[in-house]
Structure formats: C-alpha cells, structure tokens
Amino acid sequence: MMERWKGRVALVTGASVGIGAAVARALVQHGMKVVGCARNVDKIEKLAAECQSAGYRGTLIPYKCDLCNEEEILSMFSAIKTLHQGVDVCINNAGLAHNEPLLSGRTDGWRNMIDVNILALAICTREAYQSMKERHVDDGHIININSMGGHRMVPSADEHFYCATKYAVTAVTEGLRQELREAKTHIRATCISPGIVETEFAFRHHNSDPERAAAVYESIKCLKAEDIASAVTYVLSAPAHVQIGDVQMRPVEQVS
C-alpha cells in the first residue's frame, strides 16, 4: 500500500538524527519526495547523498529551519509550495527535553519545550492541512511522533514538564482527528508513542551526565529508530477507510 505514496511529498521535522533520520530514509526508500528539516542540515545532506548512492526511488531534500521561529516555519512551507506544490504527509517528529523540574526548573527551559514539542507541531500541522486543502488533497496524513510519556507520568522530576508537553501532543492529535472529521475530509491523523528508543535523545537530555545517558540504553534492549520508521510506514500503508489513532510501542523489557 506504500506504492500510492510514490512521488508524493512528505515533510519530516527533526530529520538530522535518530527517529527523524530513520523515517526520512524509509520514506525515500518507498519513493517519496521527503523534505527533511532541522536547524543544522549537514547530517541531512549526508543522508541525502547516501540515499542517492543506494539507488532509492525517492529523494531527500534538506531544509534548514529553526522550529522555534514561526516565520522560518512559514517560509519553509512557502518554499515547499513553490518547489514541490505542497505537503501530502507531515511527520511531526522534532522534540526535546530539558532537566527542568516543576519545583525548580528554569522558565526558558520550559518555554523551549513548549515551543518545539507543542507549538511547532501545531503550526506545522495547521500549515500542512492548509496545503492539502488548497490542492484538494483528501488522502493526506499527519503523524505526530509522541512518547509513552504522553500517556503516563514518569516518576522522575526531570521528566515531568517534558511529559506534560507530550500529554499535550496526545490531546492535540485527538483534537485534530475530531476537527478533520468535522471538516468532512478523509485526511488522517495518527500519534505514534514510543517507549525507550536508542538514539541521541538521552545524551542530549542528560548532556552534563553522559554516564547517566548511557545507562538508560544499557539497562534493557531498547527500541531502534528503525522500529519507529516501520511503524510510520505501517500507518501510511493502512487502507483509506482505516483510521489508526494511536500506536503505543515500547521495548518488551520496559517496565512502565
């Protein structure tokens, strides 16, 4: 069923590393034109070259964008419209966490998580939908890469505000599904919520304590970024009448 997406345009945010890079690669393999955005596109440019050398059917187009800046997001969508007509699939993958507890955290850390994890996701969602609507695309798909932290609170003060932003993603995705139904469109909305995934995320989260970050991934056999990419292609492959609302996935050995 992925064949129907061949030649269509997908936007993947946070595409330079981890889950975003794995998703971008998978979609290019299936023949899609993938716009991969990040603040630094060096790694996306390298991935694009790898995809081309591997003979994948699609193409990866790197785009530099700071998702904390709405003007840059709007400029990105304008460029996609000019060069590629518009977005058919939007993968809101970009996300971050800071060690900022509720009782002692810094406001700028909280604000940064809100800007990236919630506002950027909502802005990209709005712009993707408007792109689909103006081109009469009725089979588009918006996929939010969430977290199991968006469904249960992790018993760690460092994670509480991050989890709050991910609970918001859960709510936004369901609200989006309801609004799409009210609009009488067949555009679908899905939330994919992984547990522990072995990427650079923990090392960025615990950037002052690399041993703690490493311990996160050494304690159990974690999910891989490619597992999440497989979930994305599974969701995109669902028959047109099937709405997959929330995919929760965690390592077999993960307790909570």
Side-chain angles (χ1 to χ4, degrees), residues 20-185:
V23 170
R25 180 191 294 272
L27 297 184
V28 171
Q29 282 183 285
H30 285 286
M32 296 193 74
K33 296 178 183 176
V34 179
V35 177
C37 81
R39 286 179 298 175
N40 188 320
V41 296
D42 291 348
K43 292 181 179 179
I44 305 178
E45 290 172 346
K46 181 180 178 182
L47 178 59
E50 291 174 2
C51 290
Q52 185 175 19
S53 297
Y56 294 161
R57 297 188 296 167
T59 55
L60 175 57
I61 302 105
Y63 195 96
K64 182 179 175 62
C65 181
D66 181 357
L67 293 173
C68 291
N69 186 324
E70 181 175 6
E71 290 304 314
E72 290 197 21
I73 297 175
L74 298 181
S75 294
M76 175 175 65
F77 274 91
S78 178
I80 293 172
K81 178 179 179 178
T82 300
L83 298 173
H84 310 289
Q85 284 71 59
V87 172
D88 302 306
V89 172
C90 180
I91 313 289
N92 287 309
N93 164 74
L96 53 80
H98 298 298
N99 295 333
E100 304 293 353
L102 295 170
L103 298 182
S104 60
R106 295 172 300 127
T107 304
D108 60 345
W110 293 344
R111 185 176 290 114
N112 189 218
M113 285 186 272
I114 290 172
D115 285 345
V116 176
N117 298 358
I118 305 173
L119 284 178
L121 177 146
I123 294 167
C124 287
T125 294
R126 179 191 67 203
E127 297 304 310
Y129 170 70
Q130 293 299 331
S131 173
M132 297 173 200
K133 181 181 178 183
E134 70 181 19
R135 292 176 296 121
H136 305 291
V137 170
D138 195 47
D139 65 343
H141 210 132
I142 297 167
I143 299 176
N144 295 328
I145 306 300
N146 195 1
S147 166
M148 285 303 300
H151 301 276
R152 83 282 188 270
M153 187 59 70
V154 177
S156 168
D158 288 344
E159 315 290 340
H160 289 163
F161 198 94
Y162 168 76
C163 286
T165 66
K166 290 303 184 176
Y167 267 84
V169 173
T170 301
V172 165
T173 307
E174 174 57 17
L176 172 62
R177 186 194 68 80
Q178 293 183 17
E179 290 190 26
L180 289 171
R181 297 293 73 74
E182 291 170 5
K184 301 190 186 311
T185 174

Side-chain angles (χ1 to χ4, degrees), residues 198-229:
E198 187 173 356
T199 63
E200 295 183 8
F201 187 88
F203 290 96
R204 291 181 173 184
H205 183 27
H206 304 296
N207 58 4
S208 62
D209 191 351
E211 290 185 1
R212 181 180 177 187
V216 172
Y217 299 139
E218 292 170 357
S219 60
I220 61 173
K221 183 174 177 58
C222 302
L223 298 177
K224 302 294 185 183
E226 290 74 18
D227 297 325
I228 318 307

